[in-house]
Amino acid sequence: MENTSLTRSHTFSKNQKWIIASTSSGFALENMDVLFLSFAMSSMISQLHLSGGAAGLIGSITNLGMLFGGILFGLIGDRFGRVKTFSYTIFIFAFATAAMAFANNITLIYGLRFLAGIGAGGEYGVGISLIAESFHKNQIGKMTSVAAIGGQIGAILAAIAAAFIIPQLGWHALFLLGLVPVVLTYFIRRHLHETTEFVEAKKEEKRSTTSAVFKFMFSSPKLAYQSFALMIMTTVQIAGYFGLMNWLPIIVQKQLGLNVSGSSLWMISTIIGMSLGMITFGSILDFFGPRRAFGIFLLASAAMVFTITLAHNTISLLIIGAIVGFFSNGMFGGYGAVISRLYPTEIRSTANNVIVNIGRAVGGFSSVVIGILMDHYSITVVMAFLSILYVISFITMITLPGMKKLTLHANEE
């Protein structure tokens, strides 16, 4: 059901402003939590005498927790409400992250990271649903992209915090910052309210949430194909992100013989490129529809990955990294906008969480695949692998009839 109180005006209501501020902050804090682990990993390996396999499993367990939490809290958010569920997910990953400050064995770390993953994985779909139900349809692409930019800001904050805290106080102290999100939950519960669209949908609800998920996501070949196709697209999105962002500096150093001295400059330039890409993509999606937006960015990503071979010094690497980030991660906010349009209110948070978190769980393995390719093949082969992934996502996208329908009505609503 469309919330008739929403307009296309650029003047946002107080509740809309709180929703964007809260979701952006939530995504920023979630990304900080994830990156704390990355920055602390070398210290954890050294202090706890972890093997490479044991350390690598920490990230995999976190991703599994995100998948489990995505399904669980997606269902809870669709059943009991977005606002309460959003605050619960933040509480969970906040306290699980802070508890890492007292973890001194790998078993406890595994348990806490799984718990943190549950909260982080549940947050995404609920936050995206709040945005989708609070803004006009032709604003959702830009607003979900704004929220996604919050995650990039979280990455910068995590890097700054790690640089100051770990050398002085150690890696345990870094995770105490996980308590900061608890403050956000106070403002969420005080200022946010369930949307009119959600409340009206609950009044008309005639089936359980689980049966509604099956009905609207998998009950026919057409719906099942749509759901699995979107999972393929999000898998490529995550695979490209982790593949490029985790390996790009190493690829360039090893294969091209460059010395990337300013890792902080690299991160900042890449994040700036990503953020500009997100806001640009969201604007294109809202005005021209998702087929054109995804088409442009997927094909550009497939081509732009090869420009990495043109980097001959640090400056060119920073510029190329920003350009690649612009296209490859600029699409991220668009998935939530599309999923929210293709699935009804009663399963919106579940659909977002299931599709995106399956993409995270599968796509996260791209780092392993790229590592293997780097050991045996040239950089051109590695880039070709990523390019093929983006082409597969493009072909998948153009076969989705739901995407075409959204494009046809992009400027009619």
Side-chain angles (χ1 to χ4, degrees):
M1 176 180 297
E2 179 72 13
N3 186 347
T4 56
S5 66
L6 301 180
T7 69
R8 299 184 68 172
S9 171
H10 292 292
T11 302
F12 298 137
S13 68
K14 184 177 180 180
N15 194 55
Q16 287 175 319
K17 292 176 181 178
W18 270 110
I19 285 172
I20 284 297
S22 299
T23 51
S24 299
S25 300
F27 293 168
L29 294 166
E30 174 198 330
N31 210 27
M32 284 179 66
D33 163 80
V34 173
L35 287 174
F36 282 165
L37 182 64
S38 299
F39 290 119
M41 184 63 74
S42 60
S43 299
M44 293 170 62
I45 291 172
S46 176
Q47 185 175 334
L48 301 178
H49 308 291
L50 303 179
S51 66
L57 191 57
I58 298 174
S60 299
I61 288 175
T62 305
N63 284 338
L64 288 175
M66 294 178 83
L67 178 57
F68 178 78
I71 296 171
L72 174 64
F73 283 105
L75 292 169
I76 292 174
D78 286 329
R79 177 68 180 87
F80 297 106
R82 320 300 197 198
V83 177
K84 289 181 180 179
T85 307
F86 190 59
S87 61
Y88 292 152
T89 61
I90 293 174
F91 260 121
I92 290 172
F93 79 70
F95 282 110
T97 299
M100 284 284 289
F102 308 98
N104 286 303
N105 64 77
I106 192 62
T107 302
L108 182 56
I109 289 173
Y110 286 155
L112 290 173
R113 292 313 300 169
F114 184 78
L115 189 60
I118 289 175
E123 180 196 28
Y124 175 80
V126 181
I128 290 295
S129 296
L130 274 171
I131 294 173
E133 293 159 12
S134 302
F135 292 87
H136 189 275
K137 289 181 178 180
N138 280 21
Q139 296 174 322
I140 296 175
K142 183 177 289 186
M143 293 302 104
T144 53
S145 293
V146 168
I149 291 172
Q152 305 308 311
I153 295 173
I156 294 177
L157 294 176
I160 295 172
F164 281 98
I165 293 175
I166 292 179
Q168 301 297 324
L169 302 173
W171 68 268
H172 285 93
L174 179 65
F175 285 97
L176 284 174
L177 290 178
L179 290 174
V180 172
V182 175
V183 178
L184 176 62
T185 62
Y186 167 79
F187 291 100
I188 290 174
R189 299 299 290 270
R190 181 179 176 86
H191 294 283
L192 293 190
H193 309 284
E194 296 298 342
T195 63
T196 303
E197 182 175 338
F198 177 78
V199 172
E200 293 298 322
K202 295 306 293 181
K203 290 179 181 179
E204 299 179 5
E205 189 175 69
K206 299 178 180 180
R207 58 181 71 85
S208 69
T209 303
T210 51
S211 62
V213 169
F214 175 78
K215 174 180 173 59
F216 292 113
M217 291 188 72
F218 305 108
S219 62
S220 70
K222 180 179 178 180
L223 288 173
Y225 176 76
Q226 174 175 275
S227 298
F228 286 119
L230 288 168
M231 291 175 194
I232 290 172
M233 291 183 67
T234 55
T235 295
V236 171
Q237 176 65 39
I238 301 300
Y241 175 78
F242 280 109
L244 287 168
M245 297 310 114
N246 289 353
W247 283 107
L248 186 50
I250 299 173
I251 287 173
V252 175
Q253 289 179 67
K254 287 187 175 181
Q255 302 293 337
L256 302 181
L258 296 182
N259 180 19
V260 184
S261 56
S263 59
S264 59
L265 287 177
W266 155 259
M267 172 172 282
I268 291 171
S269 67
T270 304
I271 289 174
I272 290 173
M274 290 178 179
S275 300
L276 291 174
M278 287 176 180
I279 201 67
T280 302
F281 180 90
S283 298
I284 294 173
L285 187 151
D286 287 338
F287 192 81
F288 293 106
R291 275 168 65 95
R292 289 188 183 179
F294 277 105
I296 292 169
F297 274 66
L298 285 169
L299 292 179
S301 295
M304 288 299 170
V305 292
F306 290 104
T307 62
I308 294 169
T309 61
L310 303 177
H312 298 298
N313 53 56
T314 302
I315 298 299
S316 63
L317 174 61
L318 295 177
I319 294 172
I320 289 172
I323 293 173
V324 172
F326 179 95
F327 289 106
S328 66
N329 208 45
M331 297 174 279
F332 185 77
Y335 294 96
V338 167
I339 294 168
S340 296
R341 295 281 303 279
L342 291 177
Y343 296 94
T345 305
E346 58 189 300
I347 68 157
R348 185 168 286 140
S349 67
T350 305
N352 270 291
N353 274 346
V354 168
I355 291 169
V356 171
N357 283 306
I358 285 178
R360 280 173 172 166
V362 179
F365 286 101
S366 67
S367 293
V368 178
V369 175
I370 289 177
I372 294 172
L373 291 175
M374 283 181 61
D375 288 338
H376 297 92
Y377 301 99
S378 68
I379 185 174
T380 303
V381 173
V382 175
M383 295 302 104
F385 166 72
L386 290 171
S387 181
I388 290 170
L389 288 183
Y390 288 119
V391 172
I392 290 172
S393 184
F394 173 79
I395 294 171
T396 303
M397 183 271 297
I398 61 176
T399 63
L400 282 172
M403 285 282 200
K404 185 175 182 180
K405 180 180 179 182
L406 293 183
T407 298
L408 290 174
H409 297 294
N411 292 303
E412 297 175 6
E413 296 168 329

